[in-house]
Amino acid sequence: LSDGGAGNYRRGQQYLGEGRFDEANEAFERYLAARPDDAKAQQALEDSRAQQRAAAESAYREGLTHWAQGDLALVKTKQEESRPR
């Protein structure tokens, strides 16, 4: 890694800002493979994973609410929208 992996850290921040959690996690993990002692990057990875969990839990609760209300078409639409790109 010619830049010491700094490009992966920047990409991770960008992906995180876009809500692209899988890609952010991968970028931070690649960065940390080159710099395992970087506490700031480790915190960024933990934050990304936490935001991903929160988004998944929110989508799940929203889906249950719509399902309970009998709006199965909306549940299906929301499920398709939440799939990784």
Side-chain angles (χ1 to χ4, degrees):
L1 300 171
S2 61
D3 65 354
N8 284 317
Y9 183 82
R10 286 189 299 272
R11 278 189 293 282
Q13 289 292 338
Q14 177 184 348
Y15 293 145
L16 182 57
E18 296 170 358
R20 297 166 58 184
F21 303 114
D22 287 336
E23 292 153 305
N25 295 344
E26 289 175 19
F28 290 133
E29 288 166 357
R30 283 192 303 271
Y31 177 83
L32 285 164
R35 295 185 174 176
D37 296 331
D38 188 328
K40 184 177 176 181
Q42 185 62 45
Q43 185 61 52
L45 176 59
E46 291 173 17
D47 291 346
S48 179
R49 289 177 175 164
Q51 288 181 38
Q52 185 177 33
R53 279 190 302 276
E57 290 170 5
S58 176
Y60 176 74
R61 284 191 304 276
E62 184 179 358
L64 284 178
T65 299
H66 292 296
W67 178 78
Q69 294 171 347
D71 195 348
L72 301 181
L74 185 57
V75 171
K76 183 177 178 184
T77 299
K78 292 289 185 182
Q79 182 181 38
E80 290 169 357
E81 290 174 357
S82 69
R83 289 194 177 119
R85 296 172 224 139

